[in-house]
Amino acid sequence: MSTKTSRLPPRAGASLRRRLLGLFSVCLAAVLLPMSFSGGAVATPAIGAALHGSALEMRWITSAFMLAFGGCLMAAGACADAFGRKRIFLLGVGCLLLTSLALAMSRTALSVDWLRALQGVAAAATLAGGGASLAQDFDGYARARAYGLLGTTFGAGLAFGPLLAGTLIARFGWQGVFIATAVVAALALGIGICSVRESRDAAAAGLDWPGTLSFTGALSCFTYGVIQAPALGTTAPEVIVALALAGVLAFAFVVIERRVAHPMLDLSLFRYVRFIGVQMLPIATCCCYIVLLVLLPLRFIGVHGDNEVVAGLRMMALSLPVLVMPFIATQLARRMPAGVLCSTGLVLAAAGLAWLARAASSPEAGALSPSLWPMLLIGAGSAIPWGLMDGLSVNVVPTDRAGMAMGIFNTTRVASEGVALAIVGAVLIAMISAQLPDLHGTVTPDVARAAVNRLVAGDLHGAATSVPAWSEAALRSAYERAFATLLDGLAIVTLLCAAVVLACLSGKPRTHAAALDESSADTALR
């Protein structure tokens, strides 16, 4: 009889413990990212009321975070490969800790906006460095489980972020949200220092500065122009210059990336239909799900007058399916083509949006309201592609460029979220303005635009005070009609995305080896 034992050797056991602690550190830091996003939306009305911020400053509380997050992800991924994945991860978590503490001590809304932008940069470094480090510590099925756990932590942050933020605000004020973020970041930083293994790509060429600056500049100018347009008017020189500069920088980015030896984004990947389909998935889920994470808390708190805890409870109807449906989707993907499964989920989400548009005008009753069931349907439908798109993206970029792979896909995800939030906010403002009665010169257009901006930012009382001719009842009615129309528009956009996804992902998923062969063949042809 053999005397061998099945227990791991001491060195192997220590390595496993280190890797598991590293995974825990990355997941702990990663849960802060969606909580910073969804929790920030819940805190916006309280921050605006406490710091007397303008409507524009309140809109930037969320947009500044998302803009910096999306604009820096690809650069952070390249830096992780070139300078060390652990180093970039720890730098990101440390900056999250410091910016969160600074936010808790802020005394003006403008300082909150700038610190939220810095927090977005830190979030990009955290996600890119932490996600890439996992690819070096885990292989095969263990890697899939590690990334699955990472996705679950994102779902937990989205599901419980609004409720946790509401509870902290009710107990400690809006500063409690950022203090809690700092505490968790400190814990993740301490564990990560001891457990995350340093690694880098020896072939990495470093940061593509021209590509990084042109991409971030184009994204920033476009978002700035879209957000400023409702406040200044679409014909304002500041808006026109920002949008024109965004177009110039976007063109420059394409030219730079086609000519540079080591591009930040390999544009040749867009020749592959499946790559386009994968990138469409985060855009679609953004339209049917992410924008609601910002719009609905502002509507519940700022327009309906709910407290933050009730608003957080309501938001759980939208986000709780993200904890369950991704696992179900991965099981169904063994029997159904990914394109069919993802497009089906988007169709369900579109149906939920149309349903919510009709339920929006019904009377709300505490945390349980007519909006509950359509929000559950939206959450369940959008969670199906949410659970599959990270895995599908692996077939597009070789795994030895893990930082690049994480940067490309997540940049599409986060950048589209920031841009969509800006566009949807501007459209909602325009729709509300069209619903309100003409004041016939009793107030200036600037004052009227500022009032509508304040309403969309979650300050119904402030909007009515600035324009007494518009009562709170009239403003609320105009908001609800415009909001319902907006939801119908988002449903149509989601259906169009579902059609594109079905067309692009209708075939069988390629193996990783096939992706590498195709990439090598393309390189040889260029």
Side-chain angles (χ1 to χ4, degrees), residues 260-286:
V260 71
H262 300 282
M264 181 175 65
L265 172 62
D266 186 358
L267 295 176
S268 66
L269 292 173
F270 285 95
R271 298 173 185 174
Y272 309 137
V273 174
R274 290 189 62 82
F275 179 81
I276 297 174
V278 170
Q279 305 311 308
M280 185 61 64
L281 290 174
I283 296 174
T285 54
C286 172

Short mmCIF file of all heavy atoms in Angstrom, two decimals, residues 260-286:
data_model
loop_
_atom_site.label_atom_id
_atom_site.label_comp_id
_atom_site.label_asym_id
_atom_site.label_seq_id
_atom_site.Cartn_x
_atom_site.Cartn_y
_atom_site.Cartn_z
N VAL A 260 1.86 53.57 -35.15
CA VAL A 260 2.83 53.33 -34.08
C VAL A 260 3.21 51.85 -34.06
O VAL A 260 2.40 50.96 -34.40
CB VAL A 260 2.23 53.78 -32.73
CG1 VAL A 260 1.12 52.83 -32.28
CG2 VAL A 260 3.32 53.87 -31.67
N ALA A 261 4.44 51.56 -33.67
CA ALA A 261 4.93 50.17 -33.68
C ALA A 261 4.22 49.32 -32.63
O ALA A 261 3.92 48.15 -32.88
CB ALA A 261 6.44 50.16 -33.43
N HIS A 262 3.97 49.88 -31.46
CA HIS A 262 3.30 49.14 -30.38
C HIS A 262 2.08 49.93 -29.94
O HIS A 262 2.13 50.69 -28.97
CB HIS A 262 4.27 48.93 -29.21
CG HIS A 262 5.50 48.16 -29.58
ND1 HIS A 262 5.50 46.79 -29.73
CD2 HIS A 262 6.77 48.58 -29.84
CE1 HIS A 262 6.72 46.39 -30.05
NE2 HIS A 262 7.51 47.45 -30.13
N PRO A 263 0.94 49.76 -30.64
CA PRO A 263 -0.24 50.58 -30.35
C PRO A 263 -0.89 50.22 -29.03
O PRO A 263 -0.80 49.07 -28.56
CB PRO A 263 -1.19 50.26 -31.52
CG PRO A 263 -0.80 48.89 -31.95
CD PRO A 263 0.69 48.81 -31.73
N MET A 264 -1.52 51.21 -28.43
CA MET A 264 -2.29 50.97 -27.22
C MET A 264 -3.51 50.12 -27.53
O MET A 264 -3.94 49.29 -26.72
CB MET A 264 -2.72 52.31 -26.62
CG MET A 264 -3.52 52.21 -25.34
SD MET A 264 -3.85 53.84 -24.62
CE MET A 264 -4.91 54.58 -25.86
N LEU A 265 -4.09 50.31 -28.71
CA LEU A 265 -5.25 49.54 -29.16
C LEU A 265 -4.99 49.08 -30.58
O LEU A 265 -4.78 49.90 -31.48
CB LEU A 265 -6.52 50.40 -29.11
CG LEU A 265 -7.78 49.78 -29.73
CD1 LEU A 265 -8.15 48.51 -29.00
CD2 LEU A 265 -8.93 50.77 -29.70
N ASP A 266 -4.98 47.76 -30.78
CA ASP A 266 -4.75 47.21 -32.10
C ASP A 266 -6.05 47.33 -32.90
O ASP A 266 -6.96 46.52 -32.77
CB ASP A 266 -4.31 45.74 -31.98
CG ASP A 266 -3.92 45.15 -33.33
OD1 ASP A 266 -4.02 45.86 -34.34
OD2 ASP A 266 -3.51 43.98 -33.36
N LEU A 267 -6.11 48.34 -33.77
CA LEU A 267 -7.33 48.61 -34.52
C LEU A 267 -7.64 47.52 -35.54
O LEU A 267 -8.78 47.42 -36.01
CB LEU A 267 -7.22 49.97 -35.23
CG LEU A 267 -7.13 51.19 -34.30
CD1 LEU A 267 -6.92 52.45 -35.11
CD2 LEU A 267 -8.37 51.32 -33.44
N SER A 268 -6.66 46.70 -35.90
CA SER A 268 -6.91 45.62 -36.85
C SER A 268 -7.89 44.59 -36.29
O SER A 268 -8.50 43.83 -37.05
CB SER A 268 -5.60 44.93 -37.25
OG SER A 268 -5.04 44.25 -36.12
N LEU A 269 -8.06 44.57 -34.98
CA LEU A 269 -9.02 43.64 -34.39
C LEU A 269 -10.45 43.91 -34.85
O LEU A 269 -11.29 43.02 -34.84
CB LEU A 269 -8.95 43.72 -32.86
CG LEU A 269 -7.66 43.20 -32.21
CD1 LEU A 269 -7.67 43.51 -30.72
CD2 LEU A 269 -7.48 41.72 -32.45
N PHE A 270 -10.72 45.15 -35.26
CA PHE A 270 -12.07 45.48 -35.70
C PHE A 270 -12.38 44.88 -37.07
O PHE A 270 -13.51 45.03 -37.55
CB PHE A 270 -12.25 47.00 -35.72
CG PHE A 270 -12.40 47.59 -34.36
CD1 PHE A 270 -11.30 48.10 -33.68
CD2 PHE A 270 -13.63 47.62 -33.72
CE1 PHE A 270 -11.43 48.64 -32.42
CE2 PHE A 270 -13.76 48.16 -32.45
CZ PHE A 270 -12.67 48.67 -31.79
N ARG A 271 -11.43 44.21 -37.69
CA ARG A 271 -11.72 43.48 -38.92
C ARG A 271 -12.50 42.20 -38.63
O ARG A 271 -13.09 41.61 -39.52
CB ARG A 271 -10.41 43.12 -39.64
CG ARG A 271 -9.59 44.33 -40.07
CD ARG A 271 -8.25 43.88 -40.62
NE ARG A 271 -7.39 45.02 -40.94
CZ ARG A 271 -6.12 44.90 -41.33
NH1 ARG A 271 -5.59 43.70 -41.44
NH2 ARG A 271 -5.40 45.98 -41.59
N TYR A 272 -12.46 41.76 -37.40
CA TYR A 272 -13.11 40.50 -37.03
C TYR A 272 -14.51 40.79 -36.51
O TYR A 272 -14.71 41.55 -35.58
CB TYR A 272 -12.30 39.77 -35.95
CG TYR A 272 -10.84 39.60 -36.30
CD1 TYR A 272 -9.85 39.82 -35.35
CD2 TYR A 272 -10.46 39.24 -37.59
CE1 TYR A 272 -8.51 39.67 -35.67
CE2 TYR A 272 -9.12 39.10 -37.92
CZ TYR A 272 -8.15 39.31 -36.95
OH TYR A 272 -6.83 39.17 -37.26
N VAL A 273 -15.48 40.13 -37.12
CA VAL A 273 -16.88 40.39 -36.79
C VAL A 273 -17.16 40.03 -35.34
O VAL A 273 -17.90 40.75 -34.65
CB VAL A 273 -17.80 39.59 -37.74
CG1 VAL A 273 -19.25 39.72 -37.31
CG2 VAL A 273 -17.62 40.08 -39.17
N ARG A 274 -16.58 38.96 -34.85
CA ARG A 274 -16.85 38.55 -33.47
C ARG A 274 -16.31 39.57 -32.47
O ARG A 274 -16.88 39.76 -31.41
CB ARG A 274 -16.25 37.17 -33.19
CG ARG A 274 -16.97 36.04 -33.92
CD ARG A 274 -16.48 34.68 -33.45
NE ARG A 274 -16.74 34.47 -32.04
CZ ARG A 274 -17.90 34.05 -31.55
NH1 ARG A 274 -18.92 33.85 -32.36
NH2 ARG A 274 -18.05 33.86 -30.26
N PHE A 275 -15.20 40.21 -32.82
CA PHE A 275 -14.66 41.25 -31.94
C PHE A 275 -15.65 42.41 -31.82
O PHE A 275 -15.88 42.95 -30.73
CB PHE A 275 -13.32 41.75 -32.49
CG PHE A 275 -12.70 42.84 -31.68
CD1 PHE A 275 -11.97 42.56 -30.54
CD2 PHE A 275 -12.83 44.17 -32.06
CE1 PHE A 275 -11.39 43.57 -29.79
CE2 PHE A 275 -12.26 45.19 -31.32
CZ PHE A 275 -11.54 44.89 -30.18
N ILE A 276 -16.24 42.79 -32.93
CA ILE A 276 -17.24 43.86 -32.91
C ILE A 276 -18.43 43.45 -32.06
O ILE A 276 -18.96 44.25 -31.27
CB ILE A 276 -17.69 44.20 -34.34
CG1 ILE A 276 -16.51 44.73 -35.15
CG2 ILE A 276 -18.82 45.22 -34.33
CD1 ILE A 276 -16.82 44.96 -36.62
N GLY A 277 -18.86 42.20 -32.18
CA GLY A 277 -19.99 41.72 -31.38
C GLY A 277 -19.70 41.75 -29.90
O GLY A 277 -20.56 42.15 -29.09
N VAL A 278 -18.48 41.36 -29.51
CA VAL A 278 -18.11 41.37 -28.09
C VAL A 278 -18.10 42.80 -27.55
O VAL A 278 -18.57 43.06 -26.44
CB VAL A 278 -16.74 40.69 -27.89
CG1 VAL A 278 -16.24 40.92 -26.47
CG2 VAL A 278 -16.85 39.19 -28.16
N GLN A 279 -17.57 43.74 -28.33
CA GLN A 279 -17.53 45.13 -27.86
C GLN A 279 -18.92 45.74 -27.79
O GLN A 279 -19.14 46.71 -27.04
CB GLN A 279 -16.65 45.97 -28.80
CG GLN A 279 -15.25 45.45 -28.99
CD GLN A 279 -14.54 45.11 -27.70
OE1 GLN A 279 -14.46 45.93 -26.79
NE2 GLN A 279 -14.02 43.89 -27.62
N MET A 280 -19.87 45.19 -28.57
CA MET A 280 -21.23 45.71 -28.53
C MET A 280 -21.94 45.34 -27.23
O MET A 280 -22.86 46.05 -26.79
CB MET A 280 -22.02 45.16 -29.72
CG MET A 280 -23.43 45.72 -29.87
SD MET A 280 -23.47 47.50 -30.11
CE MET A 280 -22.61 47.65 -31.67
N LEU A 281 -21.52 44.26 -26.58
CA LEU A 281 -22.21 43.80 -25.37
C LEU A 281 -22.14 44.82 -24.23
O LEU A 281 -23.18 45.13 -23.63
CB LEU A 281 -21.64 42.46 -24.93
CG LEU A 281 -21.98 41.27 -25.83
CD1 LEU A 281 -21.25 40.02 -25.38
CD2 LEU A 281 -23.49 41.02 -25.84
N PRO A 282 -20.98 45.37 -23.87
CA PRO A 282 -20.97 46.38 -22.81
C PRO A 282 -21.72 47.65 -23.19
O PRO A 282 -22.31 48.31 -22.34
CB PRO A 282 -19.49 46.65 -22.56
CG PRO A 282 -18.80 46.19 -23.79
CD PRO A 282 -19.60 45.04 -24.31
N ILE A 283 -21.72 47.99 -24.49
CA ILE A 283 -22.48 49.16 -24.93
C ILE A 283 -23.97 48.92 -24.70
O ILE A 283 -24.70 49.80 -24.23
CB ILE A 283 -22.19 49.47 -26.40
CG1 ILE A 283 -20.71 49.84 -26.58
CG2 ILE A 283 -23.09 50.58 -26.93
CD1 ILE A 283 -20.28 50.02 -28.02
N ALA A 284 -24.42 47.71 -25.03
CA ALA A 284 -25.84 47.38 -24.87
C ALA A 284 -26.25 47.37 -23.40
O ALA A 284 -27.29 47.94 -23.03
CB ALA A 284 -26.12 46.02 -25.52
N THR A 285 -25.46 46.71 -22.55
CA THR A 285 -25.81 46.66 -21.14
C THR A 285 -25.74 48.03 -20.49
O THR A 285 -26.46 48.30 -19.52
CB THR A 285 -24.88 45.68 -20.38
OG1 THR A 285 -23.52 46.03 -20.61
CG2 THR A 285 -25.11 44.25 -20.85
N CYS A 286 -24.90 48.88 -21.04
CA CYS A 286 -24.84 50.26 -20.53
C CYS A 286 -26.17 50.97 -20.80
O CYS A 286 -26.71 51.65 -19.92
CB CYS A 286 -23.70 50.99 -21.21
SG CYS A 286 -23.66 52.75 -20.85
#
